[in-house]
Amino acid sequence: MCAGSKESYELSWLVDQLSPKLSRLGDVQKCNMSDQYRGKVIVAPMVRVCTLPFRLLTVDYGTDLVYTEETVDYKMLRSIKRQNDVLGTVDFIDKSDGTVFFRTCERERSKVIFQIGTNDAQRALKVGKMVEPYVAGLDVNMGCPKEFSLKGGMGAALLTQPDKIKSILTTLVQGLTIPVTCKIRILDSLPETLELCKLIEECGVAAIGVHGRTRQERPRHPNHNDVIREIAKVLTIPVIANGGSREISRHDDIKKFQQDTGASSVMIARAAMWNCSILRPEGFLPLDTVIEQYLRYCIQYDNPFTYSKYTVQNMLRELQDTPRGKAFLETQTLQEISIIWGLEDYFKTQLAKQNEGRKSLNFEMSEGKTAMPPSADHVKIVEREENGQKVVEMPIQFIRGNFNNADLPKMLLNTHVFRKQLKGPMYSHVIVDKFFSASVTVDGVRYTSTLREKSKRYSEQGAAIVFLHAMGLVSKTYGFVPPQGARKYLTEVTRQIVKEDVMSNEIMRNNDARIENEETDCKKRRLEDDSASVSLHQQESSQETDTSRNNNKSSITDGAS
Ligand SMILES: Cc1cc2nc3c(=O)[nH]c(=O)nc-3n(C[C@H](O)[C@H](O)[C@H](O)COP(=O)(O)O)c2cc1C
């Protein structure tokens, strides 16, 4: 169709007629999307705290919206989604290690805002599409000042990249049917901050969360409520004021913070983490009740132990110095924490229910990872003969976090073998569904864990644990035993394969070659992954360090993002 023809004229007339209506329609839609952020009390994103149990607790106590912890886009993109019929949840599982990092359920759908860390519009959109059916909104973290974020060009690094901001936010707004927001920190000067906020508003976001501190300021610095007030004056979209926890010590202070900042809504992080019942207009509940209710959700939804402990630790604060607080700091499992809050029976009933469900649905190991019984006390060592060789078996797992570098099972085994001048050790492996099962042969006896491990090295440590148990060199609590359902699944599959292979030397050699190849492939893939997602790994390792630190020490995070 050539320019100036009758058709082109009619088409442009039609476009002229429809455009204002369409743009008004867009405005109406935008207004509706913005409404969910007007006059609301919102719980802020908090890493390790804002997982499903905590979010549900905030819903119980009356929050209007609750953010997830930040998830980096790369992590989401390498995940698989699974309907978890045992828990009644939808899970996003990290393919590389089987851990569930985003678990959600219908009850929170209209209230949960998924926060991502990203520096790329297309990746962000893909993530948005993945979570769109399950959440009430998507938020982009533009405030995190931590090194892993800044190095990855995410979080507060975006604040000084207007083109990146535009491309990410407009792509999300145009591509998603759920409201899109972002959470920022203020810049060094008011004019710069206002300019940034206007730019963000022009991208069509439904609301903007503003933490009233600069990238350099820490939680101990006063929040710049005056800057938030100026932002609220110039924008038409709802402004969500954040950063006020130090001045929010009871429910009424939330309203006061909103008035001080002139913002439409208030977002609270630490005040909600310390005692989440601050959200209740009726007033606080005793901290013990809050912790108990939180733990019930942790047990019900199989929350990772380290996250549960971290969150309770932040609730206890100075109470960690009490005898009960000290006992709590010693805990190593969710079951042990539940004992302290009188929930052991509840734990056992829930665990039995979950294991029953897992068994009937044949759920894989990863599902039971977090709710493991604490010890191997109830596990028997089985001795049998195979092709004239004595085989000693136990279903036991090596969990790296439970061992110091100085007492790794293989090292203890080596020391024993050296001291006693025994023959060996000789390690061998089989691979089942990309999982490894190892045996160690010492003095002609083969020791093997009937459970599979996700790496060859770990499987060898597992085999070494069996040896140490069989020799009576370690106590019964040495090593980890997954719940019954997962154990049965893992054991049966491994046994079958081992039987079929008959483990002749030739097969072993082939297996070793296969493993070496797989390992080289893995390493290659890991290197590729690494270069693509440096920031993700940095985040994970920094989180890991934090978590392990928190397992033993009574430090309380003051929150930096
Ligand atoms: C434990 C913890 C974890 C946090 N994780 C995040 C996060 O994942 N994403 C984010 O944007 N902010 C995060 N923050 C920052 C808070 O959302 C909030 O901006 C900050 O704590 C100031 O609000 P407050 O004064 O109400 O605590 C975190 C804060 C804390 C205390």
Side-chain angles (χ1 to χ4, degrees):
M1 183 170 28
C2 53
S5 71
K6 188 166 172 273
E7 288 90 340
S8 93
Y9 172 79
E10 280 172 357
L11 191 64
S12 69
W13 179 84
L14 201 64
V15 169
D16 281 352
Q17 294 299 306
L18 283 176
S19 297
K21 292 194 173 71
L22 286 174
S23 102
R24 272 205 302 280
L25 193 69
D27 286 348
V28 170
Q29 269 177 348
K30 260 188 243 160
C31 271
N32 289 343
M33 288 203 178
S34 290
D35 281 351
Q36 86 168 3
Y37 299 93
R38 258 183 243 285
K40 300 287 159 49
V41 176
I42 298 169
V43 174
M46 283 181 278
V47 167
R48 292 187 291 273
V49 176
C50 285
T51 55
L52 182 60
F54 187 81
R55 298 198 303 265
L56 288 178
L57 195 65
T58 69
V59 171
D60 288 349
Y61 294 160
T63 195
D64 292 308
L65 294 171
V66 52
Y67 282 51
T68 63
E69 59 176 347
E70 178 199 62
T71 302
V72 175
D73 53 11
Y74 277 117
K75 184 161 185 137
M76 195 69 184
L77 294 176
R78 69 167 190 230
S79 71
I80 44 165
K81 184 186 77 181
R82 186 154 55 180
Q83 180 71 39
N84 183 336
D85 292 330
V86 177
L87 302 180
T89 55
V90 171
D91 298 343
F92 287 84
I93 300 166
D94 190 329
K95 260 193 282 190
S96 67
D97 63 5
T99 51
V100 178
F101 64 88
F102 176 46
R103 170 165 282 165
T104 184
C105 65
E106 184 56 32
R107 213 184 129 221
E108 67 164 358
R109 185 145 71 112
S110 62
K111 300 200 181 257
V112 65
I113 309 295
F114 188 83
Q115 190 189 59
I116 49 168
T118 188
N119 69 1
D120 179 83
Q122 289 313 317
R123 280 203 310 274
L125 183 60
K126 276 188 200 156
V127 172
K129 288 271 169 218
M130 288 166 83
V131 295
E132 200 171 33
Y134 309 105
V135 298
L138 184 86
D139 183 76
V140 179
N141 186 349
M142 295 191 182
C144 184
K146 298 220 166 131
E147 212 186 319
F148 73 82
S149 268
L150 302 178
K151 277 199 178 151
M154 301 180 295
L158 290 171
L159 296 174
T160 48
Q161 300 182 68
D163 290 341
K164 252 291 150 61
I165 294 181
K166 266 195 232 163
S167 111
I168 294 173
L169 293 180
T170 50
T171 305
L172 287 172
V173 169
Q174 284 163 14
L176 298 177
T177 55
I178 49 173
V180 174
T181 55
C182 65
K183 177 168 173 276
I184 64 162
R185 278 178 173 248
I186 59 171
L187 298 175
D188 290 337
S189 76
L190 181 62
E192 280 176 297
T193 308
L194 294 180
E195 199 181 323
L196 169 76
C197 291
K198 282 188 212 148
L199 177 139
I200 289 172
E201 183 174 58
E202 278 161 18
C203 296
V205 293
I208 180 170
V210 182
H211 180 179
R213 293 187 180 86
T214 63
R215 185 171 136 175
Q216 290 76 27
E217 286 174 323
R218 300 275 70 90
R220 63 177 182 280
H221 295 117
N223 203 51
H224 299 278
N225 293 357
D226 52 335
V227 175
I228 302 182
R229 197 176 319 120
E230 292 307 312
I231 298 171
K233 272 188 206 156
V234 300
L235 297 191
T236 52
I237 52 168
V239 171
I240 307 166
N242 174 241
S245 276
R246 275 159 47 107
E247 46 194 293
I248 299 175
S249 49
R250 51 199 182 99
H251 185 79
D252 291 349
D253 295 336
I254 300 174
K255 183 82 195 155
K256 193 165 169 297
F257 182 58
Q258 186 247 323
Q259 285 163 348
D260 280 357
T261 53
S264 188
S265 295
V266 169
M267 172 190 274
I268 43 179
R270 287 163 300 159
M273 174 175 73
W274 293 328
N275 185 338
C276 181
S277 67
I278 197 169
L279 295 163
R280 284 162 38 98
E282 313 88 297
F284 278 117
L285 289 171
L287 187 61
D288 261 341
T289 310
V290 175
I291 294 177
E292 187 198 313
Q293 290 177 352
Y294 170 68
L295 288 173
R296 279 182 187 272
Y297 278 133
C298 291
I299 295 166
Q300 182 181 349
Y301 289 105
D302 199 10
N303 201 42
F305 160 70
T306 48
Y307 285 24
S308 313
K309 184 168 181 179
Y310 177 79
T311 305
V312 173
Q313 216 173 324
N314 279 294
M315 293 178 182
L316 283 176
R317 304 168 79 194
E318 67 276 9
L319 294 176
Q320 291 174 92
D321 282 337
T322 61
R324 194 166 58 147
K326 284 181 181 150
F328 160 77
L329 289 175
E330 294 295 312
T331 56
Q332 301 280 336
T333 63
L334 193 52
Q335 183 173 17
E336 285 171 16
I337 302 184
S338 69
I339 293 169
I340 296 180
W341 271 272
L343 290 171
E344 197 184 11
D345 286 346
Y346 181 73
F347 180 92
K348 283 183 179 158
T349 329
Q350 287 292 316
L351 186 67
K353 223 163 93 183
Q354 288 168 16
N355 283 342
E356 200 45 50
R358 284 189 189 106
K359 230 189 292 177
S360 60
L361 294 166
N362 209 8
F363 255 56
E364 285 166 25
M365 174 176 91
S366 58
E367 301 304 320
K369 251 184 184 168
T370 55
M372 293 174 186
S375 77
D377 289 1
H378 55 293
V379 177
K380 282 201 192 90
I381 298 175
V382 174
E383 292 186 9
R384 59 188 179 84
E385 265 218 9
E386 197 174 281
N387 302 327
Q389 186 184 30
K390 185 173 160 190
V391 179
V392 179
E393 284 180 346
M394 253 180 116
I396 199 125
Q397 254 191 315
F398 171 72
I399 306 282
R400 181 65 184 88
N402 292 349
F403 294 89
N404 298 322
N405 286 341
D407 63 3
L408 286 169
K410 278 177 74 175
M411 282 167 68
L412 298 185
L413 178 147
N414 285 343
T415 313
H416 182 78
V417 166
F418 176 74
R419 280 203 190 127
K420 300 276 170 194
Q421 297 287 298
L422 304 176
K423 220 169 112 210
M426 271 270 295
Y427 287 93
S428 53
H429 317 81
V430 280
I431 308 171
V432 188
D433 289 347
K434 298 204 175 117
F435 281 83
F436 295 87
S437 173
S439 299
V440 58
T441 302
V442 179
D443 253 11
V445 179
R446 182 151 64 84
Y447 300 86
T448 183
S449 169
T450 51
L451 303 185
R452 294 174 289 158
E453 299 271 4
K454 64 185 172 185
S455 86
K456 185 179 165 190
R457 277 182 300 133
Y458 281 20
S459 69
E460 289 183 358
Q461 298 285 7
I465 293 177
V466 178
F467 171 83
L468 296 171
H469 273 290
M471 292 290 123
L473 297 172
V474 286
S475 80
K476 277 286 186 74
T477 48
Y478 192 78
F480 241 129
V481 184
Q484 191 64 33
R487 196 161 70 236
K488 185 164 174 276
Y489 171 76
L490 290 166
T491 306
E492 281 179 1
V493 177
T494 306
R495 277 248 181 83
Q496 262 170 28
I497 301 282
V498 171
K499 248 187 221 159
E500 278 163 21
D501 275 358
V502 193
M503 306 303 276
S504 70
N505 280 342
E506 200 184 340
I507 287 167
M508 291 302 290
R509 269 198 299 279
N510 288 342
N511 273 328
D512 280 349
R514 218 164 74 202
I515 289 158
E516 293 312 328
N517 288 339
E518 286 221 355
E519 280 219 322
T520 322
D521 280 356
C522 268
K523 266 185 206 148
K524 250 197 250 158
R525 271 202 303 276
R526 229 178 292 139
L527 278 176
E528 281 160 14
D529 264 9
D530 281 353
S531 54
S533 62
V534 169
S535 58
L536 171 67
H537 294 296
Q538 272 160 348
Q539 181 193 22
E540 283 168 346
S541 62
S542 99
Q543 283 184 6
E544 232 168 61
T545 320
D546 281 358
T547 312
S548 52
R549 204 186 306 132
N550 273 308
N551 272 341
N552 306 317
K553 297 273 174 339
S554 57
S555 64
I556 295 174
T557 301
D558 225 2
S561 294

